[in-house]
Amino acid sequence: MAGTKQATTTVSGPEFACPVSPVVDIVFSRWTTPVLWALHTYGRQRFVELERRIGTITPKVLTQRLRQLERNGLVVRTYHPEVPPRVEYEISELGLSLAPLFAHLTEWGTANLGRVEEARRAYDADPARPRP
C-alpha cells in the first residue's frame, strides 16, 4: 500500500533465524534421543533398566538427561514410597507426540545414510580438499 509505513522489528538469535532450532535443542541433544527411544520402545522402566538399554551412558549423565526431559514435559517420573524406594520413568503424552518425527527421521536415514557415506568418501578422497 502506497503511503503507509510498516513497523519492522529486529529480532536476533538462532531461534528467530530458524524456528526448528529450539526443537533441535530440546529433542536432539546427545542423549535425549536414545532415552526417548528406549522409553517409547520398551515402556516404563527403572533407572537401571534404562541405563542397561542405552549402554554407554554414565549414571550422572542419565540422571541429568532424565531431569531435563521431565522438566520439558517429555518424561514422567513416578516415585513409589516403598522399601527400598522405587522410581520409574515413562514417556509422556507430549513425548509420544514425537513418534512421527522419529519415524520420518528413521525413514530418511534408511533411504539416505548410504548416500551420505558415499559423499563423505568422495569428499575425503578428493586431493584438492584441505586436510586437517
Side-chain angles (χ1 to χ4, degrees), residues 107-122:
E107 289 171 16
W108 186 91
T110 301
N112 295 294
L113 284 179
R115 293 172 57 196
V116 169
E117 195 54 43
E118 287 174 24
R120 288 176 178 167
R121 281 193 297 274

Side-chain angles (χ1 to χ4, degrees), residues 2 6 28 36 55 71 88 90 93-94 97-98 100 113 115:
Q6 287 190 352
F28 297 108
L36 290 174
R71 180 173 182 255
E88 295 177 317
E90 61 186 311
E93 186 176 322
L94 182 60
S97 71
L98 293 167
L113 284 179
R115 293 172 57 196

Side-chain angles (χ1 to χ4, degrees), residues 29 51 57 84 103:
S29 58
E51 185 180 21
I57 193 168

